[in-house]
Each structure stands twice: as structure tokens, then as C-alpha cells.
Amino acid sequence: MTRRVKIKVRPQQPITFPGICVHCSQPAPETMTLRQRYGRITRLIDVPLCTRCASEIHRRSADEERLQKISWLVSGVLFLLGLAITLLLTPAALSFGLRLLIALLVGGGLVAAVLWAFRQLITNAALPEKQAIRQSVAIADFSWRATTFAFENDLFADRFVELNAPRLMEF
């Protein structure tokens, strides 16, 4: 069951987390970065993880590895194709430097599009343990003065509420 906690915190202001893992409640010497984006604003917050959960987060499944290598191959091939086709199709009246710049921009755009398209596929191919750790905490909402967290671990949520009691807000 997901438990939501809203605290008053501004960007770049430190947040106090309990010294236990957000997923399994073991002692937590490492961290995992949460990232939430709304429009042009991105909020990054580091939450504690135990050593075992941190190693699971960094472990990749065979499908993740395969999809990542395919994305690199496809993006490389499309970069070279985009570069060549753009150089051939741009008017020869333009200087070579300008034609090359346009071709590099087209190739870079194709690479970014391919990597963006593969990102969700790679995330979905993660091991179930890794997905469970990632889903144990999330930034549900944030504004310039408050952040709402969604916790799966009730013990961690209780300790987080105790540590941040003066900063708690109503929904």
C-alpha cells in the first residue's frame, strides 16, 4: 500500500531521511537518486539504500544489456546515415562547414530520438527486484515550496514522518 507524505521543502534545501533502506529497512550507507520532471523543472533527491539494494539497482538483466547495445547500434547507424544523406541533400552553394554543421545536427537529433525511444523499453526490461526497488519510493508531486513522496515501506514512511514532523503539510 502506498503512503503519501507531503513536506515543506524548497529546491536545494536538504531533506532528512532515516538511516535505513527505503526498500528493505536495512542500514543504508548508499543512495539512489529520484528524478521527477514537470515542464522545465527537474527535482533530484537522493534517498538511502542498503548495499544489497544498491547492487541490485546497478545490476542489469540480459534484456537490458541487449536493448542498450541495440540502441547504440541503431543510433550509430542512423547518425551516419543522417550525416551522409544531409551532406548529399544540402545545396552545394552552402559552405562545407555549414553543411557539416547541419548534418551533425540532424545526426545528433536522430541519436537523441533513438535513445529516447529505447529508454522506456530498457526500463521495462529490468529485473523484477530492480523494478521493485525503484517503485518503493517516488516523488509524487512537487512545487517551489513542497514535495510529496509516495512510500511503499511503512516503517520507512513512519520514520520519515518522525524526522520531518515540523515540516509536514496537509494534502
Side-chain angles (χ1 to χ4, degrees), residues 5-15 38 41 43 45 139 141-149 160 164 166-171:
V5 178
K6 185 175 183 179
I7 63 168
K8 186 185 300 185
V9 61
R10 294 182 186 267
Q12 306 304 324
Q13 186 178 9
I15 300 172
Y38 287 127
I41 301 170
R43 179 72 43 99
I45 298 173
I139 300 173
D141 190 25
F142 71 88
S143 67
W144 64 274
R145 68 180 187 101
T147 301
T148 304
F149 293 96
F160 181 77
N164 294 288
R167 298 162 73 175
L168 289 178
M169 297 177 71
E170 296 293 322
F171 288 100

Side-chain angles (χ1 to χ4, degrees), residues 42-102:
T42 301
R43 179 72 43 99
L44 299 171
I45 298 173
D46 291 331
V47 295
L49 278 183
C50 67
T51 306
R52 188 185 62 79
C53 290
S55 66
E56 284 294 326
I57 284 289
H58 296 298
R59 205 173 101 198
R60 292 198 170 147
S61 70
D63 286 340
E64 280 180 291
E65 289 285 338
R66 181 179 54 82
L67 286 170
Q68 187 170 32
K69 289 177 183 176
I70 289 171
S71 72
W72 291 343
L73 176 67
V74 170
S75 63
V77 168
L78 284 179
F79 176 78
L80 292 175
L81 280 174
L83 188 72
I85 291 172
T86 305
L87 281 174
L88 290 173
L89 295 180
T90 51
L94 296 173
S95 69
F96 181 74
L98 183 59
R99 291 174 54 211
L100 182 62
L101 178 65
I102 293 169

Side-chain angles (χ1 to χ4, degrees), residues 146-164:
T147 301
T148 304
F149 293 96
F151 297 109
E152 292 291 327
N153 184 340
D154 287 331
L155 176 63
F156 187 88
D158 290 339
R159 291 207 182 154
F160 181 77
V161 167
E162 288 172 13
L163 285 172
N164 294 288

Side-chain angles (χ1 to χ4, degrees), residues 57 122-136:
I57 284 289
I122 292 170
T123 301
N124 291 342
L127 295 168
E129 298 87 12
K130 185 175 185 176
Q131 290 180 359
I133 294 167
R134 283 184 180 160
Q135 293 169 356
S136 62

